[in-house]
């Protein structure tokens, strides 16, 4: 196995240009499980841990190599709440926000926030940079638009984040658990509301009809909140698997939607 | 060839492909104290400190740890003595089969390095990535709460 | 959190019984220096790996080992044809192929084994073995299996007047899921050929002598050619009672002439060892208006999976203990252990008593409600006591059995504050922030459970130990397995107190050096090996005193009237004094046709009171507090007893709210720690334990085994508390969020 350990972005892009099919290694929390259990044998690895640019966090730009441990204690409330639920402390010290996007798991804990605020993903290759909105980047369960030779440089958040942000996650254990359903809701003082949900569809789901309905309610009544939850539950498309059932996930999506909205009022 | 500084000593290892730091420590460097219970970051038995961060060594690619400083359970006790966390766990009978113990020792020692007097809730959250199947955690919590209380 | 009151030491020897000395293996364990079975290395060692069936039921058409053998570094690939001796193994019925021959009967069944220069190559070679399967329909429904007569054991226990009826009756159907022991150390070991055709196997197991019986037969060797040594054991809980890799390791070592090591990864560990039997249970309880339980009818089906292992004994427990620790003048209990293509089920802590406790305690709560009676009063009203007859077997309960005292002591403990507060770590769902203080409803549940101690139904159950006094102190030799529970400390304490000398070393010796200690299971080693050590140590003391006419013994030597008359060196000048004892508990009998007889050596009872906070809308649960009372006979090492109580209780909590192997069509869907969830420290409740000390009729100083009782009623109490909080029936354990939320 070949490994290159560049210390700057230019070095990464050179390495990827040289070998576009190289496996990218950040925190290792997803890749190494596949390696140890023999599901994957990378021939060529580009390790990103030492790349200073990837660990930068300036204003609304979060480098792909920023760990969940940093985000957990960072200034972005909704994302910090999500970060606190990523794996265990050990995982949060290694795992990165770029890794969450690279893996693009339906259960990725950081993704509902990014979807709720319409974050963009900044990609780079030797040929240049491009920026994709989250829903252009995440194309399916564990699928994304990253091309060979390309790297996730970071996440661009909107310059002005919504005033209120709340995240919540349902799991069958009170710590270190893959989500059965998760949601992030953001709301402006004017009422504009967006909600994205995880683990209830192939990619994070934005409940746009529900958003539209509740955004028009400056001071939602109990009935409006109820209706919002009902709409969200109708807009998700969960499956039944060994972790939970379609109907419970749909139910939980509606409950989380109502509760997060109430917390944002 | 990968160069590792483990518990202050320098080692060179030739990992096979993308093998984990846990495998290298156990099977190549003769340091089996870090334990292999799940090998997917869900139990904490293989916890080590890598360049100052507590991580699961099963999720670290050895080849990516080149030049890194690593502390394992073998590196915590002073010569002829015990680390305060080790002493506290023994005093409270917090060791049964002992398979999770190295991971708890490393994680707790690292916690106390960064926060000498954690609350019981902080202790629990910091150790929520370490699974113990024998003790029910009662004795572990008693031991570490007592140690936190001793901090100046 | 438990506080342990200091125990008065009445014996003058330090570290004797009733105190809590530190465990002798503690320092190497906290330093990472303790050698577990997976840590063993040997010069020129090879690594083994196993080829497993991906199908729960299939005919093997062909196996092509050539592609595996062609890989550089591969030294051997062996199949069923290469098993030198008996082709099958099993504790009671040798029905499980060492390697599957023409058919596989469960997902993960071993088909071939390989040895290679390193682990990665061994695993690659295992993947390269080409097995052609003709996939067959799996039988995965235990009720269908029963209809087809696919049963390991069918029992019918009848007692009392079958026409007895109560004024109040309640019925229920209950299920429990498949639970994994999830000991943290996976299966691992090392086999070393002795160069003379024999082999030494160093292994983590619960019973070296039983392993020895099965291993030498399948290797086709004489018993003396195989020696089994205990390695350091990373937990067991029943998972190591049946063979997994023992024969395979020896086959590879003998075939290659090289030491061979195997370590299972977690996924393979889930596939390789037996699990707790999943259960389906139908119950009808009837009572007189005053609450007197008069009739229990039940049918319990435990699915034993593909092979026999210990199903006959697990279903026996499920049947004999189906009523709980209660009087009942008329019973009719059917117990069936079925054979299916599900993963084999066998021993796990609580061994058949856990499943029925979940059902009968739910029934007792229903009965209390139907009677309009307080559920604790109902239990007290019907509680058995020493000298009473068990309602199923009719056996008079010998030894202590303080059911009422256990219940009363537990009920008397104070309840915690009602308010969980706002910290998410105190709320259901934890830092996931799904719940909030105002969403939470509190519930309290109570459950009582019991089981027998040691082996039953006429099994010749014994333990051998040797105690030797030298001028340096005492040496205890045993082949009992120290799986983490602290037997090593308790044996030291017993020897100290019995002889009066503090220095005791416990040596775990191989099968060639001492007779069987029996299994480290059935909560039996403190009483059994402890009993052997007490008797051997007492004889050593008598002999030494006789030599010099002394009346007391200490580290200083033999004393008479408080004065040393000979030092240890002097009295042992002619050599050490050594005694070997084979200890047996009171004999048990063969059951009659209707399940009657003195089938059990003794019993222990425990109870739990769970306090839970539930978010009913999301179905999330946090166990806030779990108090318990347990009948321990005599706490030889109070801190170790508390450790067993806390650990066993949390395993029961896991089974109540999160642990289950999800099996579909015979295939396990969650064979990983990502998806088989074990309680974390944030899931562990505060716990207060009351130890009830009424001496038992056998074993050292009245002590009882304490390992299993804390697991029996824990699950039942938690689910009862969630029922109380939500009003939902919750008849299946573990409860899942969708069950609690009712969606």
């Amino acid at each position: 196995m070949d490994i290159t350990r560049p210390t700057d972005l230019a070095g990464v892009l050179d390495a990827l240009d040289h070998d576009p099919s190289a496996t990218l290694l950040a925190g290792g929390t997803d890749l190494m499980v596949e390696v140890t259990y023999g599901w994957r044998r990378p021939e060529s690895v580009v390790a990103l841990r030492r790349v200073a640019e990837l660990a930068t966090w300036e204003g609304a730009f979060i480098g792909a190599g920023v760990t969940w441990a940093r985000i957990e204690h960072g200034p972005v409330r909704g994302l910090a709440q999500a970060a606190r639920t990523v794996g265990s402390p050990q995982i949060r010290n290694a795992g990165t926000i770029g890794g969450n996007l690279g893996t693009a798991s339906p259960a990725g804990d950081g993704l509902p926030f990014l979807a709720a605020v319409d974050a963009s993903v900044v990609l780079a290759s030797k040929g240049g940079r491009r920026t994709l909105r989250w829903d252009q980047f995440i194309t399916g369960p564990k699928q994304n638009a990253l091309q060979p030779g390309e790297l996730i440089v970071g996440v661009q958040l909107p310059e002005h984040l919504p005033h209120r942000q709340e995240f919540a996650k349902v799991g069958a254990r009170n710590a270190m658990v893959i989500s059965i359903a998760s949601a992030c809701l953001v709301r402006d003082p004017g009422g504009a509301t967006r909600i994205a949900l995880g683990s209830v569809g192939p990619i994070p789901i934005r409940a746009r009809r529900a958003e539209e309905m509740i955004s028009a309610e400056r001071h939602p009544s109990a009935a409006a909140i109820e209706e919002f939850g009902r709409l969200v539950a109708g807009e998700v498309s969960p499956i039944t698997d060994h972790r939970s059932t379609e109907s419970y996930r749909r139910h939980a999506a509606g409950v989380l939607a109502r509760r997060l909205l109430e917390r944002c009022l | 060839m990968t160069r590792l500084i483990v518990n202050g000593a320098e080692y060179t290892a030739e990992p096979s492909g993308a093998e984990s730091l846990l495998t290298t420590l156990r099977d190549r460097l003769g340091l089996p104290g870090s334990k292999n219970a799940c090998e997917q970051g869900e139990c904490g038995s293989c916890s080590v400190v890598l360049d100052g961060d507590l991580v699961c060594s099963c999720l670290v690619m050895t080849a990516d740890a080149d030049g890194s400083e690593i502390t394992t359970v073998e590196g915590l006790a002073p010569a002829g003595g015990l680390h305060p966390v080790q002493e506290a766990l023994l005093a409270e009978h917090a060791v049964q089969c002992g398979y999770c113990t190295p991971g708890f020792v490393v994680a707790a020692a690292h916690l106390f390095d960064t926060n000498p007097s954690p609350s019981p809730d902080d202790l629990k959250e910091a150790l929520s990535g370490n699974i113990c199947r024998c003790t029910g955690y009662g004795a572990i919590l008693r031991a570490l709460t007592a140690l936190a209380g001793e901090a100046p | 959190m438990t506080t342990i009151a200091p125990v008065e030491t009445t014996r003058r020897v330090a570290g004797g019984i009733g105190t809590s000395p530190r465990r002798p293996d503690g320092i190497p364990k906290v330093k990472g220096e303790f050698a577990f079975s997976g840590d063993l290395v040997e010069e020129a060692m090879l690594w083994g790996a196993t080829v497993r069936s991906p199908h729960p039921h299939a005919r093997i058409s062909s196996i092509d080992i050539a592609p595996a053998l062609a890989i550089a570094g591969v030294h051997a690939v062996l199949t069923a044809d290469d098993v030198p001796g008996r082709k099958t193994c099993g504790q009671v019925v040798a029905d499980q192929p060492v390697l599957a021959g023409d058919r596989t009967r469960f997902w993960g069944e071993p088909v071939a084994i390989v040895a290679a220069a390193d682990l990665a190559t061994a695993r690659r070679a295992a993947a390269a073995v080409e097995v052609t399967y003709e996939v067959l329909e799996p039988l995965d429904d235990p009720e269908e299996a029963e209809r087809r007569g696919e049963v390991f054991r069918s029992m019918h226990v009848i007692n009392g007047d079958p026409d007895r009826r109560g004024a109040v009756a309640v019925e229920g159907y209950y299920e429990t899921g498949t639970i994994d022991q999830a000991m943290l150390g996976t299966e691992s070991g090392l086999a070393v050929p002795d160069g003379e055709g024999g082999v030494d196997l160093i292994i983590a197991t619960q019973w070296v002598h039983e392993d020895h019986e099965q291993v030498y037969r399948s290797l086709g060797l004489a018993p003396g050619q195989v020696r089994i040594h205990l390695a350091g054991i990373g937990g067991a809980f029943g998972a190591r009672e049946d063979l997994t890799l023992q024969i395979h390791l020896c086959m590879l070592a003998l075939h290659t002439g090289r030491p061979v090591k195997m370590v299972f990864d977690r996924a393979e560990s889930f596939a390789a060892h037996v699990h707790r039997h999943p259960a389906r249970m139908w119950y009808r309880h009837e009572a007189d208006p005053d609450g007197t339980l008069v009739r229990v009818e039940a049918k319990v089906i435990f699915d034993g999976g593909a092979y026999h292992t210990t199903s006959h004994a697990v279903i026996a427990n499920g049947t004999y203990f189906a009523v709980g620790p209660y009087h009942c003048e008329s019973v009719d209990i059917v117990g069936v252990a079925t054979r299916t293509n599900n993963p084999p089920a066998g021993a796990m802590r609580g061994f058949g008593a856990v499943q029925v406790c979940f059902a009968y305690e739910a029934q007792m709560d229903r009965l209390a409600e139907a009677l309009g009676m307080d559920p604790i009063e109902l239990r007290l009203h019907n509680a058995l006591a020493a000298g009473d007859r068990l309602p199923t077997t009719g056996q008079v309960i010998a030894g202590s059995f303080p059911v009422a005292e256990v219940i009363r002591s537990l009920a008397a403990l104070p309840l915690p504050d009602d308010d969980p507060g706002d910290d998410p770590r105190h709320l259901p769902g934890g830092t996931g922030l799904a719940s909030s203080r105002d969403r939470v409803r509190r519930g309290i549940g109570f459950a009582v459970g019991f089981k027998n101690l040691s082996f039953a139904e006429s099994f010749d159950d014994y333990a051998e130990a040797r105690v030797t006094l030298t001028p340096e102190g005492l040496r205890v030799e045993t082949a009992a397995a120290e799986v983490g529970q602290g037997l090593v400390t308790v044996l030291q304490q017993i020897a100290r107190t019995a002889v009066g000398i503090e220095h005791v070393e416990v040596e775990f010796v191989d099968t060639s050096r001492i007779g069987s200690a029996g299994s480290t299971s059935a909560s039996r080693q403190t009483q059994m090996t402890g009993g052997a050590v007490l008797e051997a140590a007492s004889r050593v003391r008598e002999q030494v005193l006789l030599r010099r006419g002394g009346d007391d013994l200490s580290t200083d030597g033999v004393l008479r009237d408080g004065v040393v008359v000979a030092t240890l060196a002097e009295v042992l000048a002619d050599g050490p004094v050594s005694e070997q004892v084979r200890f047996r508990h009171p004999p048990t009998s063969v059951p009659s046709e209707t399940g009657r007889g003195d089938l059990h050596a003794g019993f222990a009872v425990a109870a739990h009171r769970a306090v839970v906070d539930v978010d009913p809308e999301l179905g999330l649960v946090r166990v806030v507090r779990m108090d318990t009372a347990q009948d321990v006979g005599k706490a030889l090492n109070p801190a170790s007893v508390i450790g067993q109580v806390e650990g066993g209780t949390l395993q029961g909590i896991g089974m109540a709210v999160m642990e289950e192997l999800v099996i579909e069509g015979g295939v396990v869907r969650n064979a990983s720690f990502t998806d088989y969830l074990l309680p974390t420290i944030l899931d562990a409740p505060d716990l207060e334990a009351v130890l009830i000390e009424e001496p038992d009729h056998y074993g050292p100083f009245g002590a009882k085994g304490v390992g299993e009782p804390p697991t029996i009623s824990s699950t039942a109490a938690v689910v009862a508390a969630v029922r109380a909080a939500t009003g939902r029936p919750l008849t299946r354990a573990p409860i899942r969020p969708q069950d609690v939320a009712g969606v």
Side-chain angles (χ1 to χ4, degrees):
Chain A
M1 187 195 78
D2 293 326
I3 183 165
T4 51
R5 295 177 291 259
T7 53
D8 60 16
L9 199 54
V12 178
L13 297 180
D14 282 344
L16 284 176
D17 187 48
H18 176 72
D19 182 1
S21 66
T23 301
L24 293 164
L25 170 67
T29 56
D30 290 323
L31 175 66
M32 286 306 292
V33 177
E34 300 185 14
V35 167
T36 298
Y37 280 85
W39 308 326
R40 196 154 155 184
R41 291 185 69 206
E43 293 296 326
S44 166
V45 170
V46 177
L48 306 172
R49 198 159 65 91
R50 292 164 183 76
V51 182
E53 291 103 311
L54 296 179
T56 58
W57 183 349
E58 281 170 12
F61 178 83
I62 305 176
V66 173
T67 62
W68 294 112
R70 276 178 71 194
I71 294 170
E72 182 183 349
H73 299 104
V76 184
R77 178 181 171 89
L79 198 54
Q81 289 174 334
R84 193 180 180 186
T85 74
V86 175
S88 64
Q90 288 89 330
I91 298 294
R92 301 199 278 277
N93 285 332
T96 64
I97 190 166
N100 224 219
L101 285 160
T103 297
S105 161
D109 292 314
L111 304 182
F113 174 86
L114 300 180
V117 301
D118 273 328
S120 294
V121 185
V122 181
L123 307 174
S125 67
K126 192 79 175 173
R129 290 196 172 213
R130 59 181 182 136
T131 299
L132 297 178
R133 212 176 58 189
W134 71 272
D135 53 345
Q136 297 167 315
F137 178 76
I138 301 173
T139 55
K142 300 207 170 183
Q143 288 162 16
N144 61 39
L146 199 69
Q147 295 297 311
E150 210 171 25
L151 164 81
I152 304 168
V153 177
V155 174
Q156 185 67 51
L157 305 179
E159 286 302 327
H160 298 287
L161 285 171
H163 178 69
R164 296 278 195 177
Q165 312 162 8
E166 292 290 339
F167 170 88
K169 162 174 160 179
V170 171
R173 178 162 72 182
N174 289 328
M176 189 164 62
V177 69
I178 307 263
S179 77
I180 287 172
S182 67
C184 184
L185 185 143
V186 297
R187 186 168 165 97
D188 282 329
T193 300
R194 283 170 284 171
I195 181 166
L197 300 106
S199 295
V200 288
I203 64 169
I205 302 275
R206 280 281 295 276
R208 297 188 191 271
R209 280 174 50 223
E211 289 178 1
E212 197 179 325
M213 171 261 159
I214 204 68
S215 294
E217 302 273 349
R218 192 72 188 265
H219 302 288
S221 63
I225 295 171
E226 197 66 31
E227 174 65 5
F228 174 67
R230 207 184 57 76
L231 287 175
V232 168
E235 286 188 71
V236 298
S237 52
I239 57 166
T240 293
D241 63 11
H242 57 273
R243 292 187 189 128
S244 191
T245 61
E246 186 269 341
S247 58
Y248 176 77
R249 285 187 163 116
R250 191 177 292 286
H251 165 80
V255 174
L256 290 181
R258 280 194 275 110
R259 292 185 181 184
L260 295 180
L261 175 62
E262 284 171 351
R263 289 176 200 173
C264 283
L265 294 176
Chain B
M1 195 67 83
T2 305
R3 195 177 64 93
L4 303 168
I5 300 143
V6 186
N7 303 324
E10 194 165 323
Y11 293 81
T12 52
E14 208 151 349
S16 162
E19 84 178 20
S20 70
L21 178 61
L22 175 64
T23 299
T24 304
L25 289 169
R26 290 179 53 80
D27 296 342
R28 297 189 196 279
L29 305 188
L31 293 167
S34 306
K35 294 297 172 227
N36 52 342
C38 81
E39 294 186 90
Q40 57 183 148
E42 297 279 356
C43 77
S45 305
C46 66
S47 296
V48 301
V49 177
L50 174 79
D51 294 331
D53 289 324
L54 181 73
V55 297
C56 291
S57 60
C58 71
L59 299 179
V60 175
M61 192 184 291
T62 301
D64 187 33
D66 187 60
S68 289
E69 291 192 25
I70 296 146
T71 304
T72 72
V73 67
E74 288 98 338
L76 288 173
L82 291 173
H83 187 281
V85 167
Q86 294 170 326
E87 175 59 32
L89 292 175
L90 287 177
E92 277 294 341
H93 297 260
V95 177
Q96 287 187 29
C97 91
Y99 210 80
C100 72
T101 305
F104 269 98
V105 168
V106 171
H110 185 259
L111 171 66
F112 283 109
D113 280 348
T114 51
N115 177 6
S117 48
S119 71
D121 288 331
D122 292 342
L123 262 172
K124 288 185 192 176
E125 191 169 359
L127 296 172
S128 61
N130 291 78
I131 297 285
C132 172
R133 189 57 160 167
C134 293
T135 67
Y137 305 104
I140 295 171
L141 192 62
R142 284 192 289 279
L144 299 178
T145 308
L147 195 57
E150 284 169 16
Chain C
M1 191 186 296
T2 303
T3 39
I4 301 164
V7 174
E8 293 267 341
T9 308
T10 53
R11 325 256 158 190
R12 60 193 155 65
V13 57
I17 63 144
T19 69
S20 298
R22 294 185 182 189
R23 45 187 311 148
D25 56 10
I27 289 176
K29 282 180 173 176
V30 297
K31 292 177 79 174
E33 292 169 354
F34 184 79
F36 290 94
S37 53
D39 299 336
L40 305 168
V41 285
E42 189 76 17
E43 193 78 17
M45 169 181 98
L46 301 174
W47 286 79
T50 311
V51 180
R52 295 180 180 277
S53 169
H55 307 293
H57 192 198
R59 195 167 288 122
I60 297 176
S61 312
S62 65
I63 303 178
D64 185 1
I65 64 171
L69 279 174
I71 295 173
V74 174
H75 289 250
V77 182
L78 305 179
T79 66
D81 292 342
D82 301 305
V83 178
R86 192 171 71 173
K87 301 279 185 190
T88 56
C89 60
Q91 285 194 61
V92 181
V93 179
D95 66 341
Q96 180 159 3
V98 173
L99 290 165
D102 58 350
R103 187 183 284 244
T104 66
R105 294 177 183 81
F106 73 95
W107 176 84
E109 181 162 3
V111 174
I113 46 176
V114 306
D118 58 71
L119 178 59
T121 306
R123 287 189 177 157
R124 211 158 61 243
V129 173
E130 287 176 7
V131 187
T132 310
Y133 297 97
E134 183 192 328
V135 175
L136 303 172
E137 188 67 26
L139 173 58
D140 68 339
D141 176 17
E143 286 173 62
E144 176 62 23
E146 190 204 2
R147 281 192 287 276
R148 293 193 203 170
E150 293 286 350
V151 296
F152 294 119
R153 187 174 183 182
S154 196
M155 307 176 64
H156 196 170
V157 174
I158 304 167
N159 201 354
D161 174 5
D163 294 325
R164 181 73 164 94
R165 288 286 173 270
V168 176
V170 291
E171 290 190 359
Y173 168 68
Y174 306 90
E175 286 184 13
T176 57
T178 306
I179 310 296
D180 192 80
Q181 298 85 352
M183 68 295 187
L184 279 199
T186 60
E187 291 78 0
S188 56
L190 179 72
V192 184
D194 66 8
E196 296 167 7
V199 64
D200 287 88
L201 176 66
I202 310 145
I203 193 84
T205 177
Q206 291 176 234
W207 190 358
V208 282
H209 282 83
E210 173 59 31
D211 286 10
H212 181 258
E213 280 288 315
Q214 297 182 52
V215 170
Y216 83 76
R217 287 176 203 278
S218 286
L219 294 177
L221 295 177
Q225 290 179 283
V226 177
R227 291 155 300 274
I228 304 197
H229 311 252
L230 275 167
I233 302 172
F237 316 117
R240 301 187 202 274
E241 226 178 278
D242 286 284
L243 296 191
T244 51
L245 41 59
Q246 284 86 335
I247 299 169
H248 300 165
L249 272 170
C250 294
M251 282 173 62
L252 290 169
L254 290 168
H255 185 87
T256 60
R258 302 258 295 261
V260 179
K261 173 174 176 169
M262 269 191 186
V263 180
F264 288 174
D265 66 30
R266 181 54 59 182
E268 187 170 19
S269 178
F270 274 110
H273 61 248
V274 299
H275 312 289
R276 188 188 297 291
H277 289 72
R280 298 182 185 185
M281 301 169 283
W282 296 260
Y283 267 82
R284 181 182 170 87
H285 276 56
E286 298 190 33
D288 286 343
D290 69 348
T292 303
L293 190 61
V294 296
R295 174 137 173 110
V296 173
E297 295 170 8
K299 176 170 183 180
V300 299
I301 297 182
F302 287 3
D303 183 20
Y307 295 109
H308 199 115
T309 90
T310 48
S311 275
H312 74 288
V314 178
I315 191 60
N317 279 6
T319 309
Y320 297 136
F321 310 143
V323 177
Y326 305 119
H327 287 282
C328 183
E329 54 181 89
S330 169
V331 302
D332 185 321
I333 317 286
V334 172
V336 181
T338 54
R339 183 206 315 269
T340 63
N341 295 112
N342 288 319
M348 184 175 170
R349 197 175 196 169
F351 204 75
V354 174
Q355 294 93 324
V356 289
C357 179
F358 176 71
Y360 65 68
E361 285 298 90
Q363 283 287 102
M364 292 299 277
D365 283 344
R366 282 190 185 182
L367 192 58
E369 197 183 344
L371 287 160
M373 230 177 135
D374 176 79
I376 293 174
E377 277 309 310
L378 176 68
R379 288 172 170 89
L380 282 170
H381 181 76
N382 291 290
L384 288 170
D388 290 341
R389 286 184 183 277
L390 266 195
T392 45
T393 63
Q395 174 177 0
V396 175
I397 297 163
S400 61
F401 201 51
V403 180
E405 172 143 26
V406 161
I407 294 172
R408 283 199 189 94
S409 306
L410 177 58
L413 291 174
L415 283 165
D417 197 347
D418 270 343
D419 185 355
D422 285 320
D423 190 320
R425 296 171 294 194
H426 294 189
L427 292 169
T431 56
L433 303 175
S435 197
S436 57
R437 187 184 195 170
D438 55 314
R439 306 276 179 189
V440 162
R441 260 190 254 154
R442 180 151 291 186
I444 299 171
F446 200 95
V448 190
F450 85 112
K451 83 177 284 291
N452 65 315
L453 306 171
S454 296
F455 294 155
E457 292 189 309
S458 81
F459 189 92
D460 181 21
D461 190 9
Y462 63 85
E464 242 178 62
R466 187 160 52 235
V467 175
T468 304
L469 182 63
T470 71
E472 287 72 47
L474 288 159
R475 187 170 74 245
V476 172
E477 292 164 280
T478 169
E482 163 62 60
V483 297
Q485 80 279 38
L487 178 69
V488 61
T489 323
V490 160
L491 296 183
Q492 285 182 314
Q493 293 177 261
I494 291 169
R496 283 180 189 129
T497 295
V499 181
I501 285 174
E502 191 182 341
H503 183 86
V504 182
E505 280 178 22
V506 176
E507 194 185 348
F508 296 104
V509 296
D510 72 70
T511 47
S512 70
R513 290 173 55 190
I514 199 162
S516 173
S519 178
T520 292
S521 63
S523 306
R524 61 183 287 291
Q525 288 296 16
T526 294
Q527 281 176 296
M528 297 300 294
T529 297
V533 167
L534 175 60
E535 202 170 314
S538 303
R539 286 192 204 164
V540 165
R541 176 186 160 95
E542 275 169 37
Q543 278 202 41
V544 174
L545 291 181
L546 265 178
R547 285 188 181 184
R548 294 297 169 107
D551 56 22
D552 204 355
L553 196 58
S554 81
T555 308
D556 297 330
V558 176
L559 293 92
R560 197 182 311 130
D561 300 327
V563 179
V564 175
V565 294
T567 65
L568 286 184
E570 286 164 359
V571 73
L572 299 171
D574 297 337
V577 174
S578 191
E579 283 287 338
Q580 183 166 319
V581 165
R582 180 174 279 201
F583 180 85
R584 285 183 166 84
H585 59 66
T588 59
S589 64
V590 176
S592 75
E593 282 279 296
T594 56
R596 310 295 303 280
D598 292 339
L599 309 183
H600 301 108
F603 302 93
V605 58
H608 287 90
R609 186 182 65 193
V611 179
V612 302
D613 279 343
V614 183
D615 182 327
E617 196 179 23
L618 280 177
L620 300 178
V621 176
R622 179 172 182 269
V623 184
V624 174
R625 194 167 180 91
M626 189 68 161
D627 293 323
T628 178
Q630 185 171 325
D631 150 40
V632 301
K634 159 83 184 165
L636 299 186
N637 183 319
S640 286
V641 172
I642 295 291
Q644 288 298 302
V645 171
E646 291 177 330
T649 298
L650 192 62
Q651 289 186 357
I653 293 171
M655 177 171 166
V657 297
M658 65 180 79
E659 291 185 36
E660 180 174 12
L661 273 184
V662 179
I663 301 170
E664 292 169 3
V667 178
V668 178
R669 297 293 180 193
N670 60 336
S672 75
F673 276 6
T674 305
D675 282 314
Y676 186 89
L677 299 179
L678 301 166
T680 72
I681 194 167
L682 276 169
D683 299 285
D686 294 339
L687 184 151
E688 174 90 33
V690 182
L691 307 183
I692 307 297
E693 296 191 286
E694 285 186 16
D696 206 9
H697 60 305
Y698 74 96
F701 310 104
K704 292 189 178 189
V706 299
E708 292 173 291
T711 308
I712 300 171
S713 51
S714 172
T715 307
V718 171
V719 178
V722 180
R723 282 185 204 112
T726 62
R728 295 199 180 279
L730 301 175
T731 54
R732 186 182 189 284
I735 50 171
R736 299 157 295 198
Q738 60 264 34
D739 303 327
V740 180
V743 291

